[in-house]
């Protein structure tokens, strides 16, 4: 969860945000790699729930990249100035090429380059353009959230849902394509399959919004489906929460319909159907994992 910079935060929210950043900075100063922080975020557990059939090396690789995204989320994405500084380092290019830009850079940048090398070593080089594009969408969507937090005014619902698909940080799950039986890595995926994957990311994000709303409301964070619905339709908080629950259920129903249709699609190859089944596992796994995961985070940062 990311919190506002400036006017969108209460004093308590600003204090908590700075506490998270200082913890990350202290770890970097001690020479502790960001990915070594991953166990306290239970990233491996989350990846395991979403990819129960993946080989252990694929699961570990996915957890490493998810950990990088989560740590970036906590230590950079909520601060628009830091986000701009990191955007200038062209992080998607670092992920795709493994080349660290010259000059002073964040401790996260060489770690991202090491994730690149891990992916290459695992035979995932052809996936790097897709992952880099996912990272670029994530960064662009994070940047668009800045004005909402600065003013405390939410976006429109349509814009929010579009960006929330990407700020979910789900794109590392494409590393599941490294598992046996999946389509060739250099084969383009059919657009309906990509659409199903993005819908899976959004469903997980909306579940996160529902479960995390109380904590986010305490920190005056306007970037949540409940707050967006309350603002756009003049709902009370109670009615907006109910509407967000219906919104999540409607997207899940759409997912189930599209999932069943794609599994029966004659034009899909068997490896493509295997990947569709994996996407179904992401949704089932995230639903099972997200509540205990959020309780874990609240225990860490009440």
């Amino acid at each position: 969860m990311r919190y506002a910079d400036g006017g969108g935060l209460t004093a308590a929210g600003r204090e908590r945000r700075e506490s998270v950043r200082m913890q990350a900075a202290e770890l970097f100063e001690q020479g502790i790699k960001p990915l070594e922080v991953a166990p306290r975020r239970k990233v491996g557990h989350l990846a395991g729930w979403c990819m129960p059939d993946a080989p252990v090396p694929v699961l570990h690789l996915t957890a490493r990249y998810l950990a990088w995204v989560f740590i970036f989320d906590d230590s950079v994405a909520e601060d628009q100035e830091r986000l701009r500084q990191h955007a200038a380092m062209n992080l998607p290019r670092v992920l795709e090429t493994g080349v660290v830009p010259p000059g002073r850079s964040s401790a996260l940048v060489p770690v991202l380059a090491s994730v690149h090398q891990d992916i290459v070593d695992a035979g995932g080089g052809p996936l790097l353009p897709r992952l880099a594009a996912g990272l670029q969408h994530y960064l662009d969507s994070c940047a668009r959230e800045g004005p909402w937090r600065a003013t405390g005014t939410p976006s429109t619902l349509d814009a929010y849902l579009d960006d929330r698909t990407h700020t979910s940080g789900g794109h590392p799950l494409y590393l599941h394509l490294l598992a046996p039986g999946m389509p060739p890595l250099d084969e383009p995926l059919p657009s309906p399959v990509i659409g199903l994957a993005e819908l899976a990311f959004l469903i997980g994000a909306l579940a996160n919004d529902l479960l995390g709303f109380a904590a986010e409301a305490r920190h005056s964070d306007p970037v949540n489906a409940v707050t967006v619905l309350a603002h756009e339709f003049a709902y009370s908080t109670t009615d907006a929460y109910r509407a967000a629950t219906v919104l999540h259920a409607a997207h899940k129903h759409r997912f189930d319909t599209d999932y069943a249709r794609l599994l029966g699609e004659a034009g899909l190859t068997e490896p493509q159907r295997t990947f569709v089944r994996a996407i179904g596992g992401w949704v089932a796994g995230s639903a099972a994992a997200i509540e205990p995961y959020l309780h874990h985070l609240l225990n860490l940062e009440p």
Side-chain angles (χ1 to χ4, degrees), residues 34 41 85 104 186 210 225 253 271 282 293:
R41 304 302 263 173
Q85 292 169 0
R104 185 186 177 106
D186 56 358
L210 287 166
H253 177 73
W282 300 351
Y293 176 73

Side-chain angles (χ1 to χ4, degrees), residues 98-122:
V99 176
V100 176
R104 185 186 177 106
S105 68
S106 156
L108 285 165
V109 177
V111 175
L112 184 60
S114 75
V115 171
H116 160 93
Q117 190 58 54
D118 289 341
I119 293 171
V120 171
D121 291 345

Side-chain angles (χ1 to χ4, degrees), residues 30-52:
Q30 294 166 17
I32 299 174
K33 295 179 180 180
L35 292 180
E36 293 173 8
V37 187
R40 75 185 63 185
R41 304 302 263 173
K42 298 292 185 182
V43 177
H45 291 189
L46 185 60
W49 277 104
C50 292
M51 301 166 60

Side-chain angles (χ1 to χ4, degrees), residues 244-262:
T245 303
V246 172
L247 185 68
H248 174 267
H251 280 82
K252 179 60 167 60
H253 177 73
R254 177 186 160 197
F255 178 90
D256 291 343
T257 301
D258 290 351
Y259 176 77
R261 177 179 55 78
L262 278 173

Side-chain angles (χ1 to χ4, degrees), residues 177-189:
L177 287 164
L178 290 169
M182 296 291 181
L185 298 183
D186 56 358
E187 175 184 286
L189 292 170

Side-chain angles (χ1 to χ4, degrees), residues 165-187:
T165 299
H166 303 297
T167 59
S168 67
H171 68 273
L173 291 174
Y174 276 115
L175 287 165
H176 207 153
L177 287 164
L178 290 169
M182 296 291 181
L185 298 183
D186 56 358
E187 175 184 286

